[in-house]
mmCIF file of all heavy atoms in Angstrom:
data_model
loop_
_atom_site.group_PDB
_atom_site.id
_atom_site.type_symbol
_atom_site.label_atom_id
_atom_site.label_comp_id
_atom_site.label_asym_id
_atom_site.label_seq_id
_atom_site.Cartn_x
_atom_site.Cartn_y
_atom_site.Cartn_z
ATOM 1 N N LYS A 1 0.739 -1.177 -0.075
ATOM 2 C CA LYS A 1 -0.013 -0.002 -0.012
ATOM 3 C C LYS A 1 0.875 1.288 -0.001
ATOM 4 O O LYS A 1 0.298 2.374 0.090
ATOM 5 C CB LYS A 1 -0.926 0.124 1.172
ATOM 6 C CG LYS A 1 -2.007 -1.075 1.261
ATOM 7 C CD LYS A 1 -2.869 -1.010 2.434
ATOM 8 C CE LYS A 1 -3.834 -2.062 2.478
ATOM 9 N NZ LYS A 1 -4.800 -2.033 3.697
ATOM 10 N N ASN A 2 2.193 1.138 -0.023
ATOM 11 C CA ASN A 2 3.115 2.284 0.109
ATOM 12 C C ASN A 2 2.678 3.187 1.151
ATOM 13 O O ASN A 2 2.574 4.354 1.022
ATOM 14 C CB ASN A 2 3.017 3.019 -1.291
ATOM 15 C CG ASN A 2 3.574 2.188 -2.350
ATOM 16 O OD1 ASN A 2 4.559 1.500 -2.247
ATOM 17 N ND2 ASN A 2 3.040 2.285 -3.597
ATOM 18 N N THR A 3 2.539 2.625 2.293
ATOM 19 C CA THR A 3 2.021 3.337 3.517
ATOM 20 C C THR A 3 2.965 3.049 4.802
ATOM 21 O O THR A 3 3.225 1.907 4.956
ATOM 22 C CB THR A 3 0.589 3.040 3.828
ATOM 23 O OG1 THR A 3 -0.194 3.407 2.648
ATOM 24 C CG2 THR A 3 0.099 4.001 4.953
ATOM 25 N N LEU A 4 3.203 4.020 5.509
ATOM 26 C CA LEU A 4 3.885 3.958 6.726
ATOM 27 C C LEU A 4 3.011 4.329 7.899
ATOM 28 O O LEU A 4 2.110 5.192 7.726
ATOM 29 C CB LEU A 4 5.050 4.964 6.845
ATOM 30 C CG LEU A 4 5.926 5.116 8.098
ATOM 31 C CD1 LEU A 4 6.808 3.893 8.251
ATOM 32 C CD2 LEU A 4 6.697 6.385 8.070
ATOM 33 N N TYR A 5 3.095 3.512 8.919
ATOM 34 C CA TYR A 5 2.117 3.854 10.105
ATOM 35 C C TYR A 5 2.931 4.026 11.345
ATOM 36 O O TYR A 5 4.046 3.567 11.578
ATOM 37 C CB TYR A 5 1.279 2.556 10.370
ATOM 38 C CG TYR A 5 0.410 2.160 9.160
ATOM 39 C CD1 TYR A 5 0.808 1.177 8.284
ATOM 40 C CD2 TYR A 5 -0.737 2.795 8.851
ATOM 41 C CE1 TYR A 5 -0.045 0.800 7.207
ATOM 42 C CE2 TYR A 5 -1.567 2.432 7.861
ATOM 43 C CZ TYR A 5 -1.185 1.429 7.023
ATOM 44 O OH TYR A 5 -1.985 1.063 5.981
ATOM 45 N N LEU A 6 2.245 4.772 12.324
ATOM 46 C CA LEU A 6 2.741 4.855 13.714
ATOM 47 C C LEU A 6 1.516 4.714 14.544
ATOM 48 O O LEU A 6 0.616 5.541 14.658
ATOM 49 C CB LEU A 6 3.372 6.240 13.883
ATOM 50 C CG LEU A 6 3.969 6.417 15.353
ATOM 51 C CD1 LEU A 6 5.247 5.571 15.501
ATOM 52 C CD2 LEU A 6 4.391 7.852 15.578
ATOM 53 N N GLN A 7 1.493 3.467 15.289
ATOM 54 C CA GLN A 7 0.486 3.162 16.242
ATOM 55 C C GLN A 7 0.985 3.815 17.606
ATOM 56 O O GLN A 7 1.981 3.411 18.101
ATOM 57 C CB GLN A 7 0.182 1.740 16.303
ATOM 58 C CG GLN A 7 -0.734 1.355 17.412
ATOM 59 C CD GLN A 7 -2.210 1.805 17.048
ATOM 60 O OE1 GLN A 7 -2.594 1.568 15.868
ATOM 61 N NE2 GLN A 7 -2.802 2.338 18.091
ATOM 62 N N MET A 8 0.174 4.710 18.126
ATOM 63 C CA MET A 8 0.505 5.379 19.445
ATOM 64 C C MET A 8 -0.452 4.968 20.509
ATOM 65 O O MET A 8 -1.723 5.391 20.375
ATOM 66 C CB MET A 8 0.569 6.850 19.223
ATOM 67 C CG MET A 8 1.527 7.308 18.009
ATOM 68 S SD MET A 8 1.658 9.092 17.938
ATOM 69 C CE MET A 8 0.002 9.663 17.603
ATOM 70 N N ASN A 9 -0.032 4.312 21.545
ATOM 71 C CA ASN A 9 -0.908 3.900 22.608
ATOM 72 C C ASN A 9 -0.484 4.581 23.836
ATOM 73 O O ASN A 9 0.689 5.102 23.904
ATOM 74 C CB ASN A 9 -0.878 2.420 22.677
ATOM 75 C CG ASN A 9 -1.362 1.676 21.534
ATOM 76 O OD1 ASN A 9 -2.281 1.936 20.915
ATOM 77 N ND2 ASN A 9 -0.781 0.372 21.220
ATOM 78 N N SER A 10 -1.282 4.574 24.885
ATOM 79 C CA SER A 10 -0.962 5.165 26.148
ATOM 80 C C SER A 10 -0.409 6.497 26.057
ATOM 81 O O SER A 10 0.620 6.978 26.657
ATOM 82 C CB SER A 10 0.088 4.189 26.968
ATOM 83 O OG SER A 10 -0.448 2.959 27.179
ATOM 84 N N LEU A 11 -1.108 7.296 25.283
ATOM 85 C CA LEU A 11 -0.550 8.720 24.951
ATOM 86 C C LEU A 11 -0.580 9.581 26.192
ATOM 87 O O LEU A 11 -1.453 9.446 27.043
ATOM 88 C CB LEU A 11 -1.474 9.319 23.872
ATOM 89 C CG LEU A 11 -1.100 8.814 22.490
ATOM 90 C CD1 LEU A 11 -2.319 9.176 21.544
ATOM 91 C CD2 LEU A 11 0.164 9.471 21.928
ATOM 92 N N LYS A 12 0.431 10.542 26.259
ATOM 93 C CA LYS A 12 0.668 11.397 27.392
ATOM 94 C C LYS A 12 0.656 12.785 26.856
ATOM 95 O O LYS A 12 0.906 13.050 25.777
ATOM 96 C CB LYS A 12 2.037 11.107 28.041
ATOM 97 C CG LYS A 12 2.271 9.642 28.461
ATOM 98 C CD LYS A 12 3.632 9.520 28.956
ATOM 99 C CE LYS A 12 3.914 8.056 29.381
ATOM 100 N NZ LYS A 12 5.346 7.927 29.885
ATOM 101 N N PRO A 13 0.250 13.766 27.714
ATOM 102 C CA PRO A 13 0.261 15.242 27.290
ATOM 103 C C PRO A 13 1.677 15.528 26.609
ATOM 104 O O PRO A 13 1.658 16.453 25.756
ATOM 105 C CB PRO A 13 -0.067 15.950 28.592
ATOM 106 C CG PRO A 13 -0.939 14.988 29.292
ATOM 107 C CD PRO A 13 -0.303 13.587 29.060
ATOM 108 N N GLU A 14 2.774 15.061 27.176
ATOM 109 C CA GLU A 14 3.971 15.367 26.567
ATOM 110 C C GLU A 14 4.272 14.888 25.224
ATOM 111 O O GLU A 14 5.301 15.170 24.649
ATOM 112 C CB GLU A 14 5.197 14.917 27.529
ATOM 113 C CG GLU A 14 5.135 13.498 27.968
ATOM 114 C CD GLU A 14 4.426 13.332 29.345
ATOM 115 O OE1 GLU A 14 3.364 13.921 29.626
ATOM 116 O OE2 GLU A 14 4.960 12.617 30.197
ATOM 117 N N ASP A 15 3.322 14.023 24.614
ATOM 118 C CA ASP A 15 3.396 13.618 23.230
ATOM 119 C C ASP A 15 2.856 14.597 22.313
ATOM 120 O O ASP A 15 2.885 14.428 21.080
ATOM 121 C CB ASP A 15 2.708 12.257 23.078
ATOM 122 C CG ASP A 15 3.257 11.162 23.893
ATOM 123 O OD1 ASP A 15 4.641 11.036 23.807
ATOM 124 O OD2 ASP A 15 2.607 10.307 24.449
ATOM 125 N N THR A 16 2.167 15.711 22.857
ATOM 126 C CA THR A 16 1.605 16.764 22.007
ATOM 127 C C THR A 16 2.643 17.418 21.203
ATOM 128 O O THR A 16 3.609 17.885 21.663
ATOM 129 C CB THR A 16 0.945 17.757 22.941
ATOM 130 O OG1 THR A 16 -0.179 17.075 23.599
ATOM 131 C CG2 THR A 16 0.251 18.940 22.081
ATOM 132 N N ALA A 17 2.505 17.288 19.943
ATOM 133 C CA ALA A 17 3.473 17.913 18.937
ATOM 134 C C ALA A 17 2.911 17.769 17.541
ATOM 135 O O ALA A 17 1.904 17.151 17.221
ATOM 136 C CB ALA A 17 4.746 17.049 19.056
ATOM 137 N N MET A 18 3.659 18.405 16.662
ATOM 138 C CA MET A 18 3.454 18.257 15.163
ATOM 139 C C MET A 18 4.297 17.028 14.752
ATOM 140 O O MET A 18 5.492 16.938 15.027
ATOM 141 C CB MET A 18 3.775 19.404 14.330
ATOM 142 C CG MET A 18 3.412 19.222 12.976
ATOM 143 S SD MET A 18 1.868 19.346 12.542
ATOM 144 C CE MET A 18 1.474 21.119 12.917
ATOM 145 N N TYR A 19 3.647 16.037 14.138
ATOM 146 C CA TYR A 19 4.350 14.787 13.733
ATOM 147 C C TYR A 19 4.479 14.752 12.225
ATOM 148 O O TYR A 19 3.610 15.083 11.508
ATOM 149 C CB TYR A 19 3.505 13.521 14.203
ATOM 150 C CG TYR A 19 3.606 13.353 15.624
ATOM 151 C CD1 TYR A 19 2.941 14.134 16.596
ATOM 152 C CD2 TYR A 19 4.432 12.158 16.122
ATOM 153 C CE1 TYR A 19 3.150 13.728 17.898
ATOM 154 C CE2 TYR A 19 4.572 11.881 17.433
ATOM 155 C CZ TYR A 19 3.904 12.688 18.317
ATOM 156 O OH TYR A 19 4.057 12.387 19.703
ATOM 157 N N TYR A 20 5.760 14.424 11.864
ATOM 158 C CA TYR A 20 6.140 14.445 10.457
ATOM 159 C C TYR A 20 6.575 13.058 9.965
ATOM 160 O O TYR A 20 7.339 12.322 10.783
ATOM 161 C CB TYR A 20 7.275 15.408 10.114
ATOM 162 C CG TYR A 20 7.010 16.862 10.457
ATOM 163 C CD1 TYR A 20 7.169 17.426 11.737
ATOM 164 C CD2 TYR A 20 6.443 17.661 9.450
ATOM 165 C CE1 TYR A 20 6.881 18.664 12.073
ATOM 166 C CE2 TYR A 20 6.211 19.048 9.798
ATOM 167 C CZ TYR A 20 6.421 19.552 11.097
ATOM 168 O OH TYR A 20 6.172 20.791 11.382
ATOM 169 N N CYS A 21 6.215 12.523 8.870
ATOM 170 C CA CYS A 21 6.897 11.433 8.294
ATOM 171 C C CYS A 21 8.019 11.770 7.306
ATOM 172 O O CYS A 21 8.026 12.852 6.829
ATOM 173 C CB CYS A 21 5.911 10.399 7.646
ATOM 174 S SG CYS A 21 5.124 11.067 6.229
ATOM 175 N N ALA A 22 9.042 10.901 7.183
ATOM 176 C CA ALA A 22 10.141 11.137 6.375
ATOM 177 C C ALA A 22 10.594 9.838 5.690
ATOM 178 O O ALA A 22 10.383 8.617 6.232
ATOM 179 C CB ALA A 22 11.305 11.739 7.204
ATOM 180 N N ALA A 23 11.233 9.958 4.597
ATOM 181 C CA ALA A 23 11.835 8.767 3.824
ATOM 182 C C ALA A 23 13.062 9.108 3.099
ATOM 183 O O ALA A 23 13.383 10.300 2.840
ATOM 184 C CB ALA A 23 10.825 8.331 2.841
ATOM 185 N N ASP A 24 13.919 8.116 3.154
ATOM 186 C CA ASP A 24 15.119 8.273 2.345
ATOM 187 C C ASP A 24 15.347 7.005 1.399
ATOM 188 O O ASP A 24 15.147 5.930 1.787
ATOM 189 C CB ASP A 24 16.463 8.203 3.216
ATOM 190 C CG ASP A 24 17.672 8.944 2.589
ATOM 191 O OD1 ASP A 24 18.313 8.147 1.940
ATOM 192 O OD2 ASP A 24 17.791 10.067 2.639
ATOM 193 N N PRO A 25 15.682 7.313 0.150
ATOM 194 C CA PRO A 25 15.670 6.270 -0.910
ATOM 195 C C PRO A 25 16.826 5.261 -0.704
ATOM 196 O O PRO A 25 16.588 4.089 -1.095
ATOM 197 C CB PRO A 25 15.961 7.026 -2.131
ATOM 198 C CG PRO A 25 16.559 8.300 -1.810
ATOM 199 C CD PRO A 25 16.031 8.563 -0.448
ATOM 200 N N ARG A 26 17.912 5.530 0.030
ATOM 201 C CA ARG A 26 19.089 4.651 -0.022
ATOM 202 C C ARG A 26 19.940 4.617 1.264
ATOM 203 O O ARG A 26 20.850 3.852 1.297
ATOM 204 C CB ARG A 26 20.122 4.894 -1.187
ATOM 205 C CG ARG A 26 20.508 6.266 -1.215
ATOM 206 C CD ARG A 26 21.317 6.540 -2.542
ATOM 207 N NE ARG A 26 21.814 7.974 -2.643
ATOM 208 C CZ ARG A 26 22.906 8.338 -2.052
ATOM 209 N NH1 ARG A 26 23.710 7.476 -1.404
ATOM 210 N NH2 ARG A 26 23.201 9.680 -2.237
ATOM 211 N N ARG A 27 19.542 5.398 2.261
ATOM 212 C CA ARG A 27 20.364 5.389 3.540
ATOM 213 C C ARG A 27 19.489 5.042 4.758
ATOM 214 O O ARG A 27 18.303 5.444 4.790
ATOM 215 C CB ARG A 27 20.940 6.857 3.743
ATOM 216 C CG ARG A 27 21.857 7.353 2.589
ATOM 217 C CD ARG A 27 22.181 8.692 2.940
ATOM 218 N NE ARG A 27 21.032 9.692 2.896
ATOM 219 C CZ ARG A 27 21.212 10.940 3.244
ATOM 220 N NH1 ARG A 27 22.383 11.469 3.623
ATOM 221 N NH2 ARG A 27 20.012 11.682 3.277
ATOM 222 N N TRP A 28 20.058 4.181 5.637
ATOM 223 C CA TRP A 28 19.531 3.766 6.923
ATOM 224 C C TRP A 28 19.982 4.827 7.826
ATOM 225 O O TRP A 28 21.081 4.837 8.369
ATOM 226 C CB TRP A 28 19.928 2.383 7.254
ATOM 227 C CG TRP A 28 19.519 1.882 8.672
ATOM 228 C CD1 TRP A 28 20.257 1.164 9.505
ATOM 229 C CD2 TRP A 28 18.250 2.129 9.352
ATOM 230 N NE1 TRP A 28 19.672 1.000 10.686
ATOM 231 C CE2 TRP A 28 18.347 1.494 10.619
ATOM 232 C CE3 TRP A 28 17.085 2.780 9.086
ATOM 233 C CZ2 TRP A 28 17.296 1.514 11.417
ATOM 234 C CZ3 TRP A 28 16.063 2.831 9.915
ATOM 235 C CH2 TRP A 28 16.183 2.219 11.169
ATOM 236 N N LEU A 29 19.124 5.853 8.063
ATOM 237 C CA LEU A 29 19.461 7.078 8.872
ATOM 238 C C LEU A 29 19.017 6.944 10.309
ATOM 239 O O LEU A 29 19.398 7.915 11.127
ATOM 240 C CB LEU A 29 18.886 8.272 8.343
ATOM 241 C CG LEU A 29 19.483 8.729 6.885
ATOM 242 C CD1 LEU A 29 18.607 9.806 6.269
ATOM 243 C CD2 LEU A 29 20.821 9.160 7.100
ATOM 244 N N LEU A 30 18.384 5.883 10.692
ATOM 245 C CA LEU A 30 17.893 5.670 12.117
ATOM 246 C C LEU A 30 16.999 6.958 12.425
ATOM 247 O O LEU A 30 16.127 7.311 11.730
ATOM 248 C CB LEU A 30 19.109 5.438 13.033
ATOM 249 C CG LEU A 30 19.816 4.184 12.763
ATOM 250 C CD1 LEU A 30 21.053 4.398 11.894
ATOM 251 C CD2 LEU A 30 20.218 3.493 14.078
ATOM 252 N N LEU A 31 17.403 7.633 13.678
ATOM 253 C CA LEU A 31 16.697 8.741 14.046
ATOM 254 C C LEU A 31 17.370 9.991 13.737
ATOM 255 O O LEU A 31 16.931 11.166 14.232
ATOM 256 C CB LEU A 31 16.345 8.671 15.545
ATOM 257 C CG LEU A 31 15.599 7.469 15.992
ATOM 258 C CD1 LEU A 31 15.368 7.375 17.510
ATOM 259 C CD2 LEU A 31 14.157 7.419 15.309
ATOM 260 N N ARG A 32 18.267 10.057 12.872
ATOM 261 C CA ARG A 32 18.869 11.338 12.491
ATOM 262 C C ARG A 32 18.046 11.982 11.516
ATOM 263 O O ARG A 32 17.197 11.420 10.838
ATOM 264 C CB ARG A 32 20.363 11.072 11.842
ATOM 265 C CG ARG A 32 21.240 10.245 12.664
ATOM 266 C CD ARG A 32 22.736 10.359 12.214
ATOM 267 N NE ARG A 32 22.930 9.933 10.854
ATOM 268 C CZ ARG A 32 23.067 8.683 10.381
ATOM 269 N NH1 ARG A 32 23.037 7.759 11.284
ATOM 270 N NH2 ARG A 32 23.252 8.484 9.184
ATOM 271 N N GLY A 33 18.278 13.346 11.403
ATOM 272 C CA GLY A 33 17.311 14.251 10.712
ATOM 273 C C GLY A 33 17.640 14.523 9.294
ATOM 274 O O GLY A 33 16.966 15.340 8.650
ATOM 275 N N GLU A 34 18.539 13.768 8.663
ATOM 276 C CA GLU A 34 18.992 14.010 7.187
ATOM 277 C C GLU A 34 18.168 13.351 6.056
ATOM 278 O O GLU A 34 18.671 13.147 5.084
ATOM 279 C CB GLU A 34 20.431 13.649 7.029
ATOM 280 C CG GLU A 34 21.374 14.399 8.044
ATOM 281 C CD GLU A 34 21.790 13.573 9.210
ATOM 282 O OE1 GLU A 34 20.796 12.992 9.857
ATOM 283 O OE2 GLU A 34 22.963 13.516 9.583
ATOM 284 N N TYR A 35 16.866 13.003 6.468
ATOM 285 C CA TYR A 35 16.111 12.254 5.436
ATOM 286 C C TYR A 35 15.884 13.239 4.224
ATOM 287 O O TYR A 35 15.712 14.423 4.387
ATOM 288 C CB TYR A 35 14.790 11.859 6.084
ATOM 289 C CG TYR A 35 14.925 10.672 6.995
ATOM 290 C CD1 TYR A 35 15.381 10.731 8.226
ATOM 291 C CD2 TYR A 35 14.466 9.401 6.531
ATOM 292 C CE1 TYR A 35 15.566 9.494 9.027
ATOM 293 C CE2 TYR A 35 14.564 8.283 7.218
ATOM 294 C CZ TYR A 35 15.123 8.390 8.614
ATOM 295 O OH TYR A 35 15.230 7.265 9.297
ATOM 296 N N THR A 36 15.693 12.536 3.087
ATOM 297 C CA THR A 36 15.672 13.332 1.832
ATOM 298 C C THR A 36 14.222 13.925 1.633
ATOM 299 O O THR A 36 14.081 15.084 1.162
ATOM 300 C CB THR A 36 15.896 12.482 0.639
ATOM 301 O OG1 THR A 36 17.375 11.914 0.882
ATOM 302 C CG2 THR A 36 15.914 13.199 -0.711
ATOM 303 N N HIS A 37 13.153 13.188 2.031
ATOM 304 C CA HIS A 37 11.841 13.554 1.690
ATOM 305 C C HIS A 37 10.948 13.625 3.040
ATOM 306 O O HIS A 37 11.041 12.758 3.871
ATOM 307 C CB HIS A 37 11.123 12.670 0.719
ATOM 308 C CG HIS A 37 11.883 12.548 -0.634
ATOM 309 N ND1 HIS A 37 12.656 11.497 -1.011
ATOM 310 C CD2 HIS A 37 11.946 13.447 -1.700
ATOM 311 C CE1 HIS A 37 13.141 11.689 -2.211
ATOM 312 N NE2 HIS A 37 12.734 12.912 -2.567
ATOM 313 N N TRP A 38 10.193 14.678 3.082
ATOM 314 C CA TRP A 38 9.382 14.989 4.155
ATOM 315 C C TRP A 38 7.882 15.295 3.938
ATOM 316 O O TRP A 38 7.779 15.873 2.875
ATOM 317 C CB TRP A 38 9.968 16.210 5.028
ATOM 318 C CG TRP A 38 11.385 15.925 5.568
ATOM 319 C CD1 TRP A 38 12.536 15.997 4.848
ATOM 320 C CD2 TRP A 38 11.628 15.533 6.867
ATOM 321 N NE1 TRP A 38 13.549 15.653 5.710
ATOM 322 C CE2 TRP A 38 12.935 15.383 7.013
ATOM 323 C CE3 TRP A 38 10.840 15.354 8.063
ATOM 324 C CZ2 TRP A 38 13.676 15.053 8.165
ATOM 325 C CZ3 TRP A 38 11.516 14.970 9.277
ATOM 326 C CH2 TRP A 38 12.892 14.928 9.349
ATOM 327 N N GLY A 39 7.042 14.971 4.756
ATOM 328 C CA GLY A 39 5.685 15.330 4.726
ATOM 329 C C GLY A 39 5.521 16.684 5.356
ATOM 330 O O GLY A 39 6.414 17.350 5.906
ATOM 331 N N GLN A 40 4.248 17.324 5.395
ATOM 332 C CA GLN A 40 3.991 18.521 5.948
ATOM 333 C C GLN A 40 3.526 18.500 7.334
ATOM 334 O O GLN A 40 3.347 19.539 7.992
ATOM 335 C CB GLN A 40 3.059 19.306 5.061
ATOM 336 C CG GLN A 40 3.712 19.740 3.709
ATOM 337 C CD GLN A 40 2.853 20.773 3.046
ATOM 338 O OE1 GLN A 40 1.769 20.488 2.468
ATOM 339 N NE2 GLN A 40 3.526 22.017 2.744
#
């Protein structure tokens, strides 16, 4: 389906934020911020 998901359970007030998805065509970047493509 070309879809990425984030299931969020036991949410806390400190989880309040703007959430963005990102993708990189050829690099395993882990949690670093250098992803090539970003959503809004």
